[in-house]
Amino acid sequence: MVRSSSPIRAFRLVRMRLDIQDLPNIADLGDSITQGASDQSMGFGMAAELQEAYVRRLDVINRGYSGYNTDHALDIITRAFPTPEQASIKFLTIWFGANDANKNPTQGQYVPAERFKSNLLAIINHPTVKVHSPNIILITPPPFEESLLAELQIKWGATGETRKARDAQEYAEIVIQVGKEAGVPVVDAWGLCMEKAGWKGEGNEILPGGDAEVRNEVLAGLLHDGLHLGPSGYQIVFDGLIAVMKEHWPEFPPYKMPFTEKVPWEIELGDQIANRSRASAEGPPEAPPDEPPWGAERPKSSPPPHNLSIITGLLATIIVLALVGTGLKGTSDAQSLSLSGESACPQYPPIKAFSSEEEKLDKDISDEINSEEFFAKSVKRLQGAVQIPTESFDDMGKVGNDSRWEIFKDFHKYLEDTFPLVYSKLEFTPINTYGILLEWKGKNESLKPYLFMGHQDVVPVPAVTESRWKYPPYSAHYDGRFIWGRGASDCKNVVIGVLEAFETLLEKNYKPERTLLAGFGFDEEISGYQGAQFIAEYLETARGKDSIDLILDEGGLGIIEMDGAVFALPGLGEKGYFDVKISVETAGGHSSVPPDHTGIGILSQIISAIEATPYEPELTPINPYFTTLQCSAEYSPDIDSWLRKTIQASLTSKKAAKTVADYLSTRNIFQRYLMQTSQATDLVLGGVKINALPEKVYAVVNHRIAVESRVADVRANLESLIASKILSKFPLSLDAWGSVSGNTSTTSVGKIVLEDFSDSLEPSPVSPSGSEAYKIFTGTIKQVMGEDIIVAPSLMTGNTDTKFYWGLSKNIYRFSPLRDEGKANGHTVDERVGMKEHIEGVRLYAQLILNGDRS
């Protein structure tokens, strides 16, 4: 007897020799509806069941591309399928129309009807397809359910009108027409679903799903979000597909084709031994467990079924042992996050007073801030702050050399007059003239300070927009609900709110245990290099690194409702920042004898290549937004069930995380860039005279770097992209941050230079969501704003002044305490802030001071 210490060798001994060959393919080409056909998280998976119907006979390959239309399909079709040398395509399903029919111009998917028709014919007759001579099946787009789509539009913050049910009908009819003209069978997904919804197509009958105000419950059951099919919808289309295949190609019976390869017991028992319960498309008969399948006479030499079970069980055991013995190598889908049964979104309880004295103090402070008298004072305080136009401009010179800074003197005088106790009892240190640093010394020097941040400056109001404001931008008009004006919500409200909290506690003769700091820069809107940077350097010199327990600045995603639950979304991290200058230098000359490509033409091709190669969305546990989504999956009662399951699956599966990232990124551009490095060409300069060829032109590309990436990754990506896409076409050299490549010989017609345009910034460190400081901070949010609020860590796509404070604290939280309904139009016309929400923010600042002293 041969013995083996290797489970893999043992498996080889019992498996019998099989010369496995590549199987013919069923290729499914389409958009996200095709892509989603492989998903089984909601129940029935159409592509998965199709593979089951032809397992070991035909391989199903899913080529569904989320967001794609037929224009896109023609762009990628040569890369979508294997060559005949690699594998043959026996069947090809083509399923487009849902995006082609999307007439919303903001989403860029619409393909006019005539072009949609010609595109389908072009796909059918494309050389890449015809070389396989496949059996082609067209599938019409399913219906649209407009009321669900309207909700989806609101949920993802999309603009423009939603897809229309009549457009789905029109494009379905085009698919049917193409099928007739090309002699290709059609699965009418639209018609099958509408038949299920009871539509007869008679007279002026109202089209099911065509009313955004009235939901068609049958279609809502088939289309989980109004566009994408749910399990029951996929089942209908699958049954229709199987019916078409059986009608036109009876030689390929689902579930009943012979296996292409068989081991001896399969030869003896019959092809269907593994598929006895899978003839859903065929229905009965199904043989009892101890009878031959479908009435076939069992050969006398066949081993009884229980022997087969023993052999199958032995094989399964050996495979498991082999995987264990090899340490599960190759299981690369595992996500590096283990919660051991704990919540993926831990919530910390509201802070409670420890004693009756603390409880009384909390109530006194809360009652004071909630009083009508305080409200009236607060309106006047914030109005006065907004009325001072502390604008900062990109071209501001240094403090002392630019008179535009002098407006901040007026603002300082206003603060001193408005908050007399703050400026008389706290230590005030001016930093670089206009930076404000306030220190309220605590009784317990062993406690690290809290630092409250904000900025005094506002973005300028362009003169051409002033007439578009409902009220003048620096009038600070109060309409009984909102204060209107530049800086009302970004972020004069934060500066005034912090100082109001300080002033109120001073009025109550409060003496803090821990030292409290307030640091207000004056140039945050132009990157903070003269304000916050100086304040941070001063604090680090005076106090040392990691000397502050908690830093709270403006920012975050606010307080918003998500799928039936209210979330507070503080920013625990920020994306990185990197500007790249791309210069093209070529020979000059008269424009009457130009080269085929001028410097501007080459630069335009570089920009086009960059835009054609965006970064991929990525979702990992490193990103705080990953936790935002986990919190939504755990606590939002109305979240789509498929999305909930897939988000939760992403805790342990990279594939599920990628599915979530791709799904969300195609539906909301803001969500996309919480998961993806952005790249935007914002500046271009080239040419000085109409009859002179440009000798040097350049563009600047702005990047906001995903938290999983680094500046070096962006540099490497750009260098590689230009080398592969541009140097292969033009005899140019490339100088990428001092590294020279490309054509450096005398035949070179010029060079491309990549260099930093401004100071770069790596993605910020991610602040902890389990520290004592975080628990106090989030417990205070619940205490003040409601115990039912879910606090979820999140991410900022922009950068705040906190970028200078990384060395001072690990606990940096960006959170403007404003509910979504209490703010509008930051940085643009009709900026405003709700006074009710502002008062709630003042309470939060005051209560956080009190709670910080009790830790």
Side-chain angles (χ1 to χ4, degrees), residues 583-587 599 694-697 732 749-753 755:
S583 303
V584 176
E585 300 177 16
T586 53
E695 295 173 300
K696 182 173 181 176
V697 298
L732 298 165
V749 298
K751 68 177 179 178
I752 302 169
V753 179
E755 58 189 321

Side-chain angles (χ1 to χ4, degrees), residues 263-378:
V263 291
W265 62 76
E266 290 175 317
I267 295 171
E268 294 178 347
L269 289 177
D271 295 315
Q272 282 28 272
I273 191 66
N275 286 331
R276 316 174 94 188
S277 62
R278 292 293 188 177
S280 59
E282 291 290 324
E286 181 173 346
D290 57 348
E291 292 296 323
W294 295 289
E297 183 178 349
R298 179 182 296 132
K300 295 181 179 179
S301 59
S302 300
H306 71 269
N307 286 355
L308 176 61
S309 300
I310 294 171
I311 295 171
T312 305
L314 176 61
L315 285 170
T317 303
I318 292 170
I319 291 169
V320 170
L321 289 173
L323 290 173
V324 171
T326 56
L328 295 176
K329 292 179 181 178
T331 55
S332 59
D333 185 46
Q335 189 84 276
S336 58
L337 181 67
S338 177
L339 295 170
S340 303
E342 298 177 10
S343 169
C345 180
Q347 297 295 296
Y348 302 107
I351 304 295
K352 304 291 185 184
F354 290 148
S355 65
S356 57
E357 290 81 5
E358 290 179 355
E359 189 174 346
K360 181 179 183 304
L361 178 60
D362 289 355
K363 185 176 186 305
D364 288 348
I365 298 298
S366 177
D367 288 348
E368 171 66 24
I369 295 173
N370 285 333
S371 69
E372 292 183 5
E373 182 183 2
F374 185 93
F375 189 98
K377 287 181 181 179
S378 186

Side-chain angles (χ1 to χ4, degrees), residues 461-469 829:
V461 176
V464 295
T465 68
E466 289 182 10
S467 63
R468 290 158 48 194
W469 284 72
V829 171

Side-chain angles (χ1 to χ4, degrees), residues 565-700:
V566 180
F567 289 79
L569 301 170
L572 272 63
E574 296 177 349
K575 295 177 73 175
Y577 183 101
F578 186 33
D579 291 328
V580 179
K581 181 179 179 181
I582 305 174
S583 303
V584 176
E585 300 177 16
T586 53
H590 200 281
S591 61
S592 63
V593 283
D596 290 340
H597 301 278
T598 67
I600 292 175
I602 295 170
L603 181 63
S604 68
Q605 292 203 33
I606 294 173
I607 294 171
S608 178
I610 290 171
E611 292 188 344
T613 317
Y615 288 83
E616 286 288 320
E618 185 177 7
L619 187 61
T620 74
I622 297 171
N623 188 343
Y625 186 59
F626 180 91
T627 309
T628 307
L629 294 174
Q630 295 301 331
C631 291
S632 179
E634 186 167 345
Y635 291 104
S636 293
D638 301 332
I639 190 172
D640 177 88
S641 61
W642 168 85
L643 185 57
R644 184 197 309 277
K645 292 176 182 176
T646 312
I647 290 171
Q648 291 173 334
S650 71
L651 285 166
T652 55
S653 168
K654 293 178 183 178
K655 181 179 178 182
K658 181 60 175 170
T659 298
V660 172
D662 289 343
Y663 176 82
L664 296 179
S665 68
T666 60
R667 281 153 178 77
N668 184 284
I669 193 168
F670 179 75
Q671 287 182 304
R672 180 199 308 172
Y673 289 116
L674 289 169
M675 303 176 286
Q676 175 180 330
T677 294
S678 64
Q679 48 186 17
T681 305
D682 295 327
L683 296 175
V684 177
L685 182 67
V688 295
K689 200 172 186 299
I690 189 59
N691 64 348
L693 297 173
E695 295 173 300
K696 182 173 181 176
V697 298
Y698 74 82
V700 179

Side-chain angles (χ1 to χ4, degrees), residues 717-729:
N717 180 69
L718 273 175
E719 182 177 1
S720 174
L721 178 69
I722 292 173
S724 63
K725 301 291 186 182
I726 305 300
L727 297 188
S728 60
K729 296 163 62 176

Side-chain angles (χ1 to χ4, degrees), residues 412-523:
H412 284 207
K413 179 66 166 58
Y414 175 77
L415 294 181
E416 291 177 28
D417 293 343
T418 305
F419 301 103
L421 293 179
V422 169
Y423 277 85
S424 63
K425 293 184 177 294
L426 275 57
E427 182 179 332
F428 166 52
T429 304
I431 306 292
N432 196 22
T433 307
Y434 299 118
I436 295 174
L437 180 62
L438 295 164
E439 181 176 358
W440 190 354
K441 291 189 182 296
K443 295 182 289 186
N444 188 344
E445 293 185 359
S446 68
L447 295 175
K448 291 183 181 181
Y450 279 5
L451 169 63
F452 295 84
M453 293 177 58
H455 59 88
Q456 308 164 59
D457 63 315
V458 301
V459 297
V461 176
V464 295
T465 68
E466 289 182 10
S467 63
R468 290 158 48 194
W469 284 72
K470 184 173 183 179
Y471 306 103
Y474 291 110
S475 66
H477 177 82
Y478 178 55
D479 64 359
R481 174 71 176 94
F482 294 97
I483 287 179
W484 299 66
R486 173 62 83 239
S489 64
D490 185 16
C491 76
K492 293 282 179 71
N493 60 310
V494 170
V495 173
I496 296 302
V498 169
L499 293 177
E500 285 181 316
F502 278 28
E503 188 83 2
T504 301
L505 292 169
L506 287 166
E507 288 172 354
K508 298 293 184 181
N509 201 31
Y510 182 73
K511 294 180 174 55
E513 289 293 322
R514 78 168 70 235
T515 293
L516 302 168
L517 302 168
F520 304 135
F522 56 90
D523 62 342

